[in-house]
Amino acid sequence: VVAGGIVGSGDGTWLNVSANAEIIVGSHAAGGLAYSKNRSLINGSFQGSITALSNDDHRNCNVGGLFGYWNAADAGTISNSYSHGNITCNAVTTGYSTGGLIGSTRGPGTISGSYATGPVNGARNTGGLLGSNAGDVSISNSYATGDVNCVHERCGGLIGNNDGSLIGTSENPIYATGNVTASANARYVGGLVGVNGQSIDRVYSYLYSTGEV
């Protein structure tokens, strides 16, 4: 079962799409606009809350304020979009990606001028903006301000697990201001990023975090 505030799964370019909802799903997959989305979103927003109640430890959990899973599908973009949502995945250990804006991404693509403000709670790959950026998605002029909590590993104020460029400028840095907390046995916890990839062609500039870890 997958759930979205607008549709379960979508494709193509979306313009000026918004949802205000409380989403409670007894599975592992949900997004404020759609669980799964291919290609671009411009001027999108979500306000409300999302709670995934899956107790099946063998299922992954992709939950995000806009999308649980976003496939940029070769140069897709998310721009000028935001989430004011309380995002929670209750999976015990294998919950894969939980993010304030997007749970998990697949690139190449770009995210620009976008942000998330609500608290995020997950198991692993948990971030205030993205849970997991594993597919060469470049991020610019974006931020997260919500508190982040995880119980297992890869927990960051901005991104839990990152393998994309983070390109801020002096005028528009990339940042996270929420506090980051984790269970006593959690691994890879950071104020900005939990785990950062080793790809030599990625770019990182003008980044900061201010929350407590």
Side-chain angles (χ1 to χ4, degrees):
V1 177
V2 299
I6 303 295
V7 296
S9 179
D11 203 341
T13 297
W14 289 6
L15 302 172
N16 303 316
V17 178
S18 64
N20 189 330
E22 179 181 354
I23 299 171
I24 301 174
V25 57
S27 69
H28 63 292
L33 299 184
Y35 159 64
S36 175
K37 172 70 173 69
N38 295 331
R39 299 181 174 82
S40 297
L41 170 69
I42 301 170
N43 298 329
S45 65
F46 172 74
Q47 298 188 62
S49 65
I50 304 173
T51 303
L53 299 173
S54 175
N55 291 317
D56 186 346
D57 202 38
H58 299 285
R59 299 291 295 276
N60 289 330
C61 185
N62 291 316
V63 179
L66 296 181
F67 307 122
Y69 172 74
W70 177 53
N71 180 4
D74 296 326
T77 185
I78 292 177
S79 64
N80 300 323
S81 297
Y82 65 87
S83 169
H84 294 309
N86 187 329
I87 312 301
T88 299
C89 173
N90 284 333
V92 178
T93 59
T94 60
Y96 189 67
S97 299
T98 308
L101 196 74
I102 300 171
S104 179
T105 68
R106 179 179 179 182
T110 60
I111 296 174
S112 64
S114 298
Y115 62 93
T117 64
V120 181
N121 299 278
R124 67 176 72 192
N125 294 339
T126 303
L129 192 73
L130 306 180
S132 178
N133 181 19
D136 188 19
V137 171
S138 176
I139 300 172
S140 63
N141 189 21
S142 298
Y143 62 89
T145 63
D147 291 342
V148 176
N149 176 71
C150 72
V151 297
H152 194 54
E153 64 181 8
R154 303 189 195 105
C155 184
L158 190 78
I159 304 172
N161 183 53
N162 180 58
D163 191 28
S165 294
L166 303 176
I167 308 173
T169 66
S170 59
E171 294 84 9
N172 296 295
I174 292 173
Y175 63 90
T177 61
N179 297 325
V180 181
T181 59
S183 65
N185 296 322
R187 303 181 299 168
Y188 316 126
V189 179
L192 194 71
V193 175
V195 172
N196 202 59
Q198 302 298 314
S199 300
I200 62 174
D201 59 343
R202 304 295 188 257
V203 176
Y204 308 101
S205 60
Y206 292 96
L207 316 172
Y208 71 86
S209 65
T210 61
E212 295 183 357
V213 179

